[in-house]
Structures are given as C-alpha cells and as structure tokens.
Amino acid sequence: MNDILTELESRRADARLGGGQKRVDAQHARGKLTARERIELLLDDGSFEEFDMFVTHRCTDFGMEQQKPAGDGVVTGWGTINGRMVYVFSQDFTVLGGSVSATHASKICKIMDMAMDNGAPVIGINDSGGARIQEGVDSLAGYGEVFQRNIKASGVVPQISLIMGPCAGGAVYSPAMTDFIFMVKDSSYMFVTGPDVVKTVTNEQVTAEELGGATTHTRKSSVADAAFENDVEALAEARRLFDFLPLNNRQKPPVRPFFDDPARSETSLDTLVPSNPNTPYDMKELIEKLADEGDFYELQAEFAKNIITGFIRLEGQTVGVVANQPMVLAGVLDIDSARKAARFVRFCDCFDIPILTLIDVPGFLPGTTQEYGGVIKHGAKLLFAYGEATVPKVTVITRKAYGGAYVVMSSKHLRGDFNYAWPTAEIAVMGAKGATEIIHRADLGDAEKTAQHTKNYEDRFANPFVAAERGFIDEVIQPRSTRKRVARAFASLRTKNVQMPWKKHDNIPL
Ligand code: HXC
C-alpha cells in the first residue's frame, strides 16, 4: 500500500512541475505566473479540486511518443470564489508551450460540460502557442469542440477569459465568444495572424504588442474588457467581477451585505448639471453617488468613453449601468458606443441583471464616417437590445434626451419600467438652436426673430414636463433623492416576470 501511495505522490509531484523548473523559471522571468499559481490566486484557499492530472496526449508523430507530460499542458478542475462554485482551466505554457492537443481540448470540454450541467461559470486562463503543431487536424478538431461548447454555454453560465500569454490564430475565437475578456499589459496578446504574416500579406510592419496587445484591444478593437498591470491584479479583478454575477441563467446574482442607507440623500447632485446646457459634467460622479458604498465596477473603460458600462449594487443587489458620458463627445451615440452598450445590455438580460440607464444624450453622431461605417445597423443593435430586454429597466434622464437617441435609451416606448427625469431634463426631437434653423429657416437672417424662435422652442421642450404630461416620464424627481427612488424602483421590480413570444431566436442586426 505504501508503495502505491508513494507512487501517487511522486506522479502528482511530477505533474505539478509542468514543463520542469527551467521553463517555470523562464515563465517567472517574463513576469508571468505558472498555470497552477494563477489558479491558487483566483480561487479560495484550498478550494481547488483538479481533474485529469494524469491525462497524456496520444500523438505518435514527430517523436511525440517520447514526451508525454502528465496533464498535457492544461490544468483543469473546479473550486470556489468567495464560496461560490466555478470551473476553471489554466493553460500551462511550460508544457509544450500550452499548445492545444486533442486531449488538452477534451480536458477543457469536460469541465465546460460539467459547468453547464451544474450551473456554474467557467473561467479560462489562456497562455498557449495555439494548435499543437505535431497533431495537425486532431488539434483543430479539439478547438472546434471547445468553440461549440462556448456557444452552447453562452447565456447559460457566465464565461470569463483571462488572456495571460499568447493567444493567436483561430484560438482567439474561443475567448471572443465568452462574456468578458481580461488581458495583462505587456505579456499577453491576441491576433488572428501574427506580425510576420501581416508583413508578408500587407507589407505592414507592426509589433505583437501594437497588433494585439492589451492596450490595442482595450482602446482600439474593444475585443478586451479590461487590461491590468500583471497576473496578480488581473486575477484579483476577475474575483471582483465574479462576485457581481449569478452562477447561471436560472439564479439571481448574489446579494452582498450593504452598509449604505438606500434612502441616502445626496444634495450635491442638485447642482451636478451645470446651468449652461453645453457645459459637460462627469456622469461617473452620479453613478458613484448612487452605488452602494460608491463601488462601481467599470467595463470597457478605455473604449468608446462617450458611454459608460459596468456594475454597481443597490441594496446589495447587482445592477448593470449604462450611462451617457457628457465629458466625451457630449455623450453622443455613435457606432462604437452603441455596440459597446448593446453587448452589455444583452449580457445583463441573459443573466437576469436589472439595468439602470442614465441619460444625457444629444443624439446620434452625424457624418460620412458614421454612415459608411453602418451607424444605422450598429445603432439598431442598442435599440434592439433594450427592446428585447425583459429584466427590470429603470432610467433617469438628467439632461438631454434628443431624437432617436431618446427612444433608444431604454425609453418608456421600449418598455422601460420606471422612467424618471430630473427637472433639468430636455426631451425633444433636437436642441432648440437646430430646431429653429430648420422650422424657421426663412427668419435666419433676422437675429432677433431667430432668438425668439429659439427661446419659444426651449420654453416648450427644454423641460421634462411635456413628456411627463403624456406619461412617457413616470415622475420628475429631485436629483438628491435619485438613489432612494431608483433603489425603491428596483426593489418593486424583483418579481417582474415578462416573456417575449416564443421564437427560435431573434435576428438582432449584427
Ligand atoms: C507545439 C509549441 C507550439 C505549438 C510553442 N510550442 N507553440 N509546440 N505546438 N503550437 C513549444 C515550442 O516548441 C517550445 O518547446 C515551447 O512551446 C515554448 O515555445 P517558444 O517558441 O520557445 O516560446 P516563445 O519564444 O515565448 O514563443 C511563443 C510563441 C511561439 C510566440 C507562441 O512558440 C510560436 O510562434 N508558436 C507557434 C504559434 C503558432 O503558429 N501556432 C499555431 C497557430 S494556428 P520547448 O520544448 O522548446 O520548450 C492555431 C489554429 C487554431 O492555433 C485553429 C482553431 C480553429
């Protein structure tokens, strides 16, 4: 018996060493943690239960039968984050560059299947040279199996990808189909084809970092939701994000104990909106003043900054926030901001997370760049996402809500449950100056008349009362009481149950 136990321990120790001390040292020298160290930091102490530690590949080509490392380059299993269950895979770059063989892929598939069966999220830590070159099509087939599970799990359990090393070629499409992607600055990259292929095909000279580093994907492409300084920070932030999310699409997000009075009055909000309608102010100030303990978890913070997306808690319950940001492009809607917000709204809706929308939007951005880029289709994504969302929807218009953007942003007409406005709200087809230039074009040469027309339009529409008279706004509220009003609104909607008619799936304008 003792011999068997000794063999077990020796085989375990061998598997835990991955690709050997030299490669572990090289991994550390690059500022990267090993696959197992990452799992240790991600999960609660001692909670990790590993599967398939002794699995080896079955390839016999190119001398591969001579090297059969236990675990085959990926550590898989389950554990807990603050006591809640999660399935994890973590690719081990020290073993054959974390490359994906048929067996490596089947280990990932096993935990994805278990996650769906048991209703728990999947967190994938990616650090891999891609398809195991020696295995050819077997490796590609393995990727295909993972992709199919990403799709099946989408909207069933939350999926989070942490990119902590190379992620190239078709391999990028597995993270791309997950709900959130975090990257690490200077040590992770994602691209469909690397710099050498780019040079050959397009003659462009670009570094891996420029082509697919964390900065590129958080600022330019919006492929990644956030970038962090190092592995430790990214893993700690993944734990924080996880705490906002439900385990699956049939459960509510966790309720955190809160120590912040839901009826807290914020007198400073009464003066948040400047008296000049063209002066910007920081919408994040409002979000933070509404949130329990001022805690706002922003996503896609570096992309399309004219719209803000992220999570807060009200009375301990997770709420998704979408807010126009008057500080950037006056909070206008455009292709990027519409895409960003639409994806976030859809995430919230599939996982039953209520949505708070804070509105100060002058409309859609005009111009050929936008039209040629398909702003019609991209804007429609946001419209569609809000209209199909059946989760509780509460909106607050702080200032401008003009034109199509008024309708799109969770208006009453798209089944907003509570539509509040501050007294400073202006709900109209467009701003008074633009309106005057169109409907009183004949008087444009006469400054006095034009000023009078503009004033008339302002008097008529630069307020929330016309919309309130029609019931499009449920109540005009004091800015200082917004936290209380919004928290009570969401509390009253906890039993909301609205279904869309049966359909196979909708046809959102992609
Ligand atoms: C097998 C691989 C491998 C791979 C790396 N290794 N990638 N083994 N298949 N795809 C091995 C190396 O042989 C080496 O083994 C160890 O991993 C570390 O690799 P290095 O090259 O020494 O590391 P580094 O200099 O850091 O470079 C990392 C790298 C590079 C940039 C990822 O290894 C690389 O370019 N690899 C190939 C990438 C690639 O073309 N993959 C296929 C992409 S297409 P030793 O024994 O020396 O430690 C794809 C299709 C997916 O993935 C399709 C899905 C549908």
Side-chain angles (χ1 to χ4, degrees):
M1 181 67 179
N2 270 350
D3 287 353
I4 300 170
L5 291 181
T6 311
E7 186 190 344
L8 173 63
E9 276 320 307
S10 137
R11 288 183 71 146
R12 279 184 174 169
D14 178 52
R16 288 196 186 107
L17 205 53
Q21 196 56 48
K22 223 171 112 195
R23 291 192 183 89
V24 169
D25 292 344
Q27 178 88 346
H28 286 158
R30 291 174 169 183
K32 291 162 64 179
L33 298 175
T34 65
R36 284 170 198 282
E37 288 164 347
R38 287 166 175 164
I39 290 178
E40 294 261 305
L41 285 180
L42 178 67
L43 301 180
D44 296 338
D45 277 351
S47 73
F48 182 54
E49 298 273 355
E50 188 167 348
F51 289 137
D52 294 337
M53 188 188 231
F54 303 126
V55 160
T56 56
H57 68 75
R58 292 186 283 273
C59 178
T60 51
D61 290 308
F62 304 104
M64 286 299 281
E65 65 278 13
Q66 307 298 329
Q67 43 171 338
K68 289 188 153 228
D72 204 23
V74 63
V75 183
T76 60
W78 66 275
T80 57
I81 292 180
N82 289 323
R84 298 163 72 233
M85 190 156 159
V86 61
Y87 287 84
V88 184
F89 71 84
S90 181
Q91 293 177 314
D92 186 347
F93 190 79
T94 70
V95 176
L96 300 165
S99 58
V100 175
S101 66
T103 41
H104 177 124
S106 67
K107 283 182 68 174
I108 295 175
C109 289
K110 186 193 267 188
I111 61 121
M112 292 184 78
D113 288 340
M114 293 190 77
M116 278 181 274
D117 290 349
N118 296 299
V122 180
I123 299 181
I125 302 175
N126 295 259
D127 187 359
S128 165
R132 175 97 38 94
I133 294 166
Q134 296 89 334
E135 286 208 7
V137 72
D138 280 342
S139 155
L140 301 183
Y143 268 116
E145 293 295 329
V146 175
F147 293 167
Q148 184 61 56
R149 282 164 179 79
N150 287 131
I151 296 160
K152 194 171 167 194
S154 182
V156 178
V157 292
Q159 302 178 77
I160 299 172
S161 298
L162 308 182
I163 313 295
M164 297 194 151
C167 182
V172 293
Y173 287 113
S174 174
M177 289 188 288
T178 62
D179 299 301
F180 300 105
I181 299 180
F182 285 176
M183 294 183 75
V184 179
K185 291 179 193 165
D186 303 319
S187 64
S188 69
Y189 52 84
M190 300 175 78
F191 36 64
V192 174
T193 52
D196 295 344
V197 178
V198 170
K199 173 89 178 72
T200 311
V201 177
T202 70
N203 210 22
E204 279 174 290
Q205 231 160 347
V206 64
T207 63
E209 189 60 32
E210 287 163 353
L211 186 63
T215 306
T216 298
H217 285 312
T218 48
R219 294 189 181 177
K220 292 193 170 137
S221 73
S222 84
V223 165
D225 295 281
F228 301 100
E229 295 301 325
N230 51 48
D231 287 10
V232 177
E233 194 189 355
L235 293 159
E237 290 296 328
R239 285 178 62 92
R240 248 185 96 207
L241 172 63
F242 184 87
D243 282 349
F244 282 96
L245 310 180
L247 293 181
N248 58 60
N249 61 346
R250 291 177 188 278
Q251 287 190 15
K252 296 274 183 202
V255 182
R256 191 174 75 170
F258 59 98
F259 307 96
D260 197 353
D261 181 3
R264 168 169 50 81
S265 173
E266 276 290 346
T267 44
S268 62
L269 291 180
D270 290 347
T271 50
L272 179 67
V273 173
S275 46
N276 180 343
N278 298 319
T279 305
Y281 60 93
D282 189 358
M283 190 63 99
K284 276 190 201 159
E285 190 179 328
L286 173 56
I287 299 172
E288 281 162 11
K289 285 184 172 159
L290 295 183
D292 284 358
E293 288 99 25
D295 183 18
F296 175 44
Y297 196 95
E298 189 172 3
L299 290 155
Q300 298 252 338
E302 297 299 322
F303 181 76
K305 293 181 177 185
N306 41 332
I307 208 152
I308 305 167
T309 53
F311 297 114
I312 61 169
R313 292 185 184 83
L314 289 172
E315 299 190 76
Q317 317 237 358
T318 303
V319 171
V321 179
V322 177
N324 308 115
Q325 172 58 290
M327 302 273 284
V328 180
L329 294 170
V332 77
L333 279 179
D334 58 3
I335 293 171
D336 289 347
S337 58
R339 271 202 310 116
K340 168 177 162 179
R343 182 153 167 83
F344 184 74
V345 166
R346 294 196 102 215
F347 175 81
C348 291
D349 191 48
C350 49
F351 287 107
D352 221 4
I353 296 173
I355 301 166
L356 171 64
T357 307
L358 304 174
I359 302 167
D360 187 346
V361 62
F364 279 93
L365 184 64
T368 49
T369 310
Q370 290 292 308
E371 296 294 351
Y372 297 170
V375 67
I376 296 173
K377 196 164 258 193
H378 296 294
K381 286 180 177 146
L382 184 55
L383 169 60
F384 202 111
Y386 267 123
E388 73 174 349
T390 54
V391 289
K393 294 183 281 192
V394 175
T395 76
V396 180
I397 301 175
T398 58
R399 189 167 60 177
K400 295 169 193 165
Y402 291 166
Y406 152 72
V407 182
V408 165
M409 297 292 295
S410 198
S411 64
K412 188 54 93 190
H413 324 290
L414 299 180
R415 310 293 174 261
D417 295 297
F418 281 73
N419 290 75
Y420 287 138
W422 284 5
T424 41
E426 304 169 22
I427 304 167
V429 175
M430 59 176 69
K433 188 167 168 290
T436 302
E437 284 167 6
I438 293 169
I439 57 181
H440 299 290
R441 188 169 293 155
D443 292 338
L444 278 183
D446 185 332
E448 204 174 310
K449 270 191 176 168
T450 299
Q452 189 55 49
H453 291 315
T454 306
K455 183 166 182 318
N456 291 347
Y457 196 86
E458 273 170 9
D459 289 348
R460 177 78 180 116
F461 287 119
N463 63 68
F465 300 109
V466 180
E469 282 162 16
R470 283 158 179 70
F472 303 154
I473 292 298
D474 298 302
E475 179 74 299
V476 181
I477 62 171
Q478 300 260 24
R480 69 176 70 187
S481 69
T482 307
R483 174 172 154 87
K484 176 177 156 194
R485 305 298 293 250
V486 167
R488 276 179 64 81
F490 280 121
S492 78
L493 294 166
R494 284 197 189 122
T495 49
K496 181 181 176 190
N497 184 6
V498 169
Q499 309 286 332
M500 294 291 261
W502 186 91
K503 50 180 114 173
K504 188 171 175 195
H505 58 71
D506 56 42
N507 189 16
I508 188 166
L510 291 174

